[in-house]
């Protein structure tokens, strides 16, 4: 029994990780994997639309070749600002469909990553470190851990507040 329980838990964790990784590869893939075809096709369609209209693939190639000024010039910020929220929402949706996200406020780190990535994108044409522009690819990517940490901290604070209130109500 213990082996089966451990195996079941491991399979559940594997299913959640699989969903997240497919969604990171391309938003909508995990939804297709879970037979949510309409949602999957919608996410894939929106991914391609925003990618093409925002020039994301061009930005990626230029950024990896350290042509940051050129990547900034190619960026359609009005379209690309939709990308972080779509991307992280698709990841969250995939994770929830795989059985994750059951804990209170579990969504906060993912939501804050989307927010921080969007704000970083806004400042990317002018934000520089030691006189070097970071650009519309690297600055948003570097903001993800900050968003995860901020969301995690806010989740922790909210849990402490609610636990304290629960304890007061039971007394």
């Amino acid at each position: 029994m213990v082996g089966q329980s451990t195996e079941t838990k491991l399979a559940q964790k594997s299913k959640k990780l699989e969903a997240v990784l497919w969604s990171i590869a391309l938003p909508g893939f995990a939804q297709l994997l879970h037979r949510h075809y309409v949602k999957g096709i919608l996410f894939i369609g929106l991914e391609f639309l925003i990618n093409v209209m925002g020039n994301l693939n061009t930005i990626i190639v230029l950024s990896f070749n350290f042509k940051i000024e050129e990547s900034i010039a190619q960026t359609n910020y009005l379209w690309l600002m939709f990308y972080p929220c779509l991307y992280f929402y698709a990841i969250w949706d995939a994770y929830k469909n795989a059985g994750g996200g059951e804990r209170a406020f579990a969504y906060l780190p993912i939501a804050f990553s989307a927010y921080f990535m969007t704000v970083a994108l806004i400042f990317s044409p002018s934000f520089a470190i030691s006189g070097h522009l970071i650009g519309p690819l690297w600055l948003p990517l570097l903001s993800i851990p900050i968003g995860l940490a901020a969301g995690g901290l806010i989740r922790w604070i909210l849990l402490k507040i609610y636990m304290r209130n629960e304890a007061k109500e039971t007394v």
Side-chain angles (χ1 to χ4, degrees):
M1 283 266 189
V2 175
Q4 288 178 341
S5 177
T6 303
E7 184 66 30
T8 301
K9 288 179 184 179
L10 189 58
Q12 289 170 342
K13 288 180 186 278
S14 176
K15 186 177 177 183
K16 293 173 197 173
L17 181 60
E18 178 186 24
V20 168
L21 291 177
W22 277 117
S23 209
I24 288 171
L26 188 73
F29 275 7
Q31 286 76 11
L32 294 178
L33 184 68
H34 291 112
R35 296 187 175 125
H36 297 148
Y37 298 116
V38 172
K39 208 178 344 178
I41 291 168
L42 178 66
F43 283 148
I44 292 169
L46 287 171
E47 151 71 28
F48 276 98
L49 178 66
I50 295 169
N51 185 313
V52 170
M53 298 305 291
N55 297 324
L56 183 56
N57 285 346
T58 302
I59 294 162
I60 291 169
V61 170
L62 291 169
S63 295
F64 269 89
N65 287 291
F66 301 105
K67 297 178 181 180
I68 303 302
E69 291 83 7
E70 289 180 50
S71 71
I72 291 169
Q74 290 293 317
T75 303
N76 184 334
Y77 288 90
L78 297 179
W79 273 97
L80 205 55
M81 283 177 52
F82 290 112
Y83 195 79
C85 289
L86 171 70
Y87 192 75
F88 280 100
Y89 180 76
I91 292 170
W92 177 251
D93 182 69
Y95 181 67
K96 281 198 58 115
N97 286 337
E102 296 298 319
R103 294 182 178 169
F105 308 112
Y107 56 88
L108 288 174
I110 298 297
F112 272 85
S113 293
Y115 303 152
F116 274 70
M117 199 172 180
T118 302
V119 171
L121 182 63
I122 292 167
F123 287 104
S124 68
S126 58
F127 186 85
I129 296 176
S130 299
H132 299 285
L133 290 169
I134 309 304
L137 176 70
W138 301 119
L139 188 60
L141 287 177
L142 291 172
S143 73
I144 293 171
I146 299 166
L148 288 170
L153 177 63
I154 291 169
R155 180 181 183 272
W156 180 79
I157 291 168
L158 288 173
L159 288 173
K160 290 291 183 190
I161 290 169
Y162 282 105
M163 296 290 206
R164 188 177 307 130
N165 289 343
E166 280 283 320
K168 287 179 185 178
E169 288 177 9
T170 56
V171 172

